Amino acid sequence: MIVERLYTSKLQDYLQHKKDEDTLYVTDLVRCPLKVRFEEQYKELAMSEVFAPSMLLGDLVHSGLEDFLKREFNAEVEVEGEKEIPVNGKTVKIKGRADAIIQQNNERIVVEIKSAKSDKGLPLEHHKAQLQLYLWLFNVRKGILIYVTPDRVTEYIIDQPADEVGVIRLTEETLRASKAPRYQWECKYCVFKVICPNRKS
């Protein structure tokens, strides 16, 4: 009964998600550009990843921590933002959804929540880049990257927003798929590796 409701909810969220043309999300800019394309082309393959128990566990951690931040810090959660940038003679919209924004000592702080199987190598490079993009998107100077792992619950202060030149470069790389995969380890976890011409072993 509960499992069915969980997965029905995930399916509805997945099917309702539509991406406009000339729109990229912050998460698109910190992962393999081919994966971004394949998610649109091969939706059935993408669905298997959406329903992975590890993804569901991450969603539940997010939900619980967001409720805690609302209660303890009066945080805004699931905050949506967007900016437009010029890329190769056209306008591209960058959208994103911050897990939470809290107000402390007259300062807005973006909170990004991550769950992981291990605490090795924290904070991870692509997570830092994602939070820096959110800082740029929301015009905020400071963010907190919080991790929940089986061994540790910890947080990192990130206080260097991405700059617009860097965002434009990432957007160009994503649209051209010139750096695919973006990180060497991505192929290992990618559901599209069975069809990808750029797969790294």
Side-chain angles (χ1 to χ4, degrees), residues 12-26:
Q12 288 171 345
D13 286 348
Y14 175 75
L15 293 176
Q16 286 172 0
H17 183 73
K18 298 277 190 284
K19 186 184 285 188
D20 300 328
E21 197 174 329
D22 296 327
T23 296
L24 287 173
Y25 290 90
V26 164

Side-chain angles (χ1 to χ4, degrees), residues 160-177:
Q160 293 179 313
D163 62 87
E164 190 146 310
V165 172
V167 177
I168 290 170
R169 179 185 52 78
L170 283 172
T171 303
E172 288 172 342
E173 286 177 3
T174 302
L175 293 173
R176 291 197 318 263

Side-chain angles (χ1 to χ4, degrees), residues 11-194:
L11 179 61
Q12 288 171 345
D13 286 348
Y14 175 75
L15 293 176
Q16 286 172 0
H17 183 73
K18 298 277 190 284
K19 186 184 285 188
D20 300 328
E21 197 174 329
D22 296 327
T23 296
L24 287 173
Y25 290 90
V26 164
T27 51
D28 296 336
L29 302 180
V30 294
R31 61 195 183 119
C32 177
L34 283 178
K35 186 171 186 178
V36 175
R37 288 185 189 176
F38 289 156
E39 284 174 345
E40 292 298 312
Q41 284 180 279
Y42 305 107
K43 288 186 180 291
E44 296 80 8
L45 271 176
M47 284 175 66
S48 65
E49 192 173 60
V50 169
F51 292 135
S54 60
M55 297 290 283
L56 185 59
L57 183 61
D59 288 347
L60 295 173
V61 167
H62 268 74
S63 180
L65 259 176
E66 285 174 358
D67 284 347
F68 175 80
L69 292 171
K70 276 196 290 191
R71 191 173 62 247
E72 297 294 323
F73 292 90
N74 198 28
E76 299 173 75
V77 298
E78 301 290 321
V79 185
E80 295 189 358
E82 64 180 61
K83 278 187 177 178
E84 292 183 344
I85 56 171
V87 179
N88 298 327
K90 66 178 185 176
T91 299
V92 176
K93 191 179 290 183
I94 305 297
K95 286 185 167 185
R97 183 186 295 165
D99 291 331
I101 298 180
I102 61 177
Q103 188 92 22
Q104 201 166 50
N105 302 324
N106 296 319
E107 181 180 35
R108 293 174 82 218
I109 302 170
V110 177
V111 180
E112 180 64 14
I113 299 164
K114 297 294 181 188
S115 59
K117 295 176 185 174
S118 162
D119 67 350
K120 186 178 178 183
L122 300 183
L124 300 178
E125 183 183 348
H126 61 297
H127 292 162
K128 284 170 58 178
Q130 182 181 358
L131 182 49
Q132 288 173 312
L133 286 163
Y134 284 135
L135 297 181
W136 165 80
L137 188 67
F138 291 99
N139 299 311
V140 173
R141 295 286 320 160
K142 181 178 175 183
I144 296 174
L145 184 54
I146 183 164
Y147 283 94
V148 179
T149 79
D151 301 310
R152 192 161 45 138
V153 178
T154 191
E155 64 186 42
Y156 299 91
I157 302 295
I158 305 295
D159 56 8
Q160 293 179 313
D163 62 87
E164 190 146 310
V165 172
V167 177
I168 290 170
R169 179 185 52 78
L170 283 172
T171 303
E172 288 172 342
E173 286 177 3
T174 302
L175 293 173
R176 291 197 318 263
S178 60
K179 196 172 178 185
R182 196 174 295 283
Y183 301 99
Q184 287 296 311
W185 52 264
E186 287 181 280
C187 298
K188 180 179 177 184
Y189 302 101
C190 183
V191 70
F192 301 107
K193 63 188 173 189
V194 295

